[in-house]
Amino acid sequence: MNWIILIIAGLFEVGFTTCLKLSNNFSSIKWSAAFFVCITLSFLLLNKASQTLPMGTAYAVWTGIGAVGTVIIGILYFNEPATFWRIFFICTLIGSIAGLKFFASH
């Protein structure tokens, strides 16, 4: 169950980074409020998940989900470049996250 909580925490990390961009330097009240809701939920869920998962693994997976998700949002919605090397390294990051999850119980 805590892996699911950690994944949700990572998705809220994607939410707060996206809201940060859309807040236009916190000048948009709606996106600024969404940022604070997402960041609060993300950290609360990360804290909950790290109570039973190894702290280093939980943090790395949370950060990885946030990084991968934020890059994907940037490519799809903010017209950021989708170069070969960028996609290659995102794929290696996904592989690393999967490896951390696989070896967390060993």
Side-chain angles (χ1 to χ4, degrees):
M1 183 64 178
N2 281 317
W3 282 104
I4 294 169
I5 291 170
L6 183 59
I7 290 168
I8 295 168
L11 294 174
F12 274 112
E13 185 183 3
V14 175
F16 80 70
T17 56
T18 303
C19 292
L20 183 63
K21 171 120 176 128
L22 294 170
S23 76
N24 195 25
N25 203 26
F26 295 108
S27 63
S28 168
I29 299 295
K30 175 179 81 169
W31 290 111
S32 298
F35 166 82
F36 286 110
V37 169
C38 287
I39 199 167
T40 300
L41 290 171
S42 183
F43 277 102
L44 287 173
L45 292 169
L46 173 62
N47 179 61
K48 175 71 175 156
S50 66
Q51 290 175 359
T52 57
L53 299 174
M55 180 182 64
T57 300
Y59 181 73
V61 170
W62 176 76
T63 304
I65 292 169
V68 170
T70 301
V71 168
I72 292 169
I73 293 294
I75 290 168
L76 295 177
Y77 295 103
F78 297 113
N79 298 317
E80 293 179 0
T83 64
F84 169 80
W85 288 112
R86 195 165 191 215
I87 301 302
F88 173 79
F89 286 115
I90 288 298
C91 289
T92 61
L93 183 55
I94 292 168
S96 297
I97 293 166
L100 283 169
K101 184 193 180 314
F102 178 74
F103 288 105
S105 61
H106 293 93

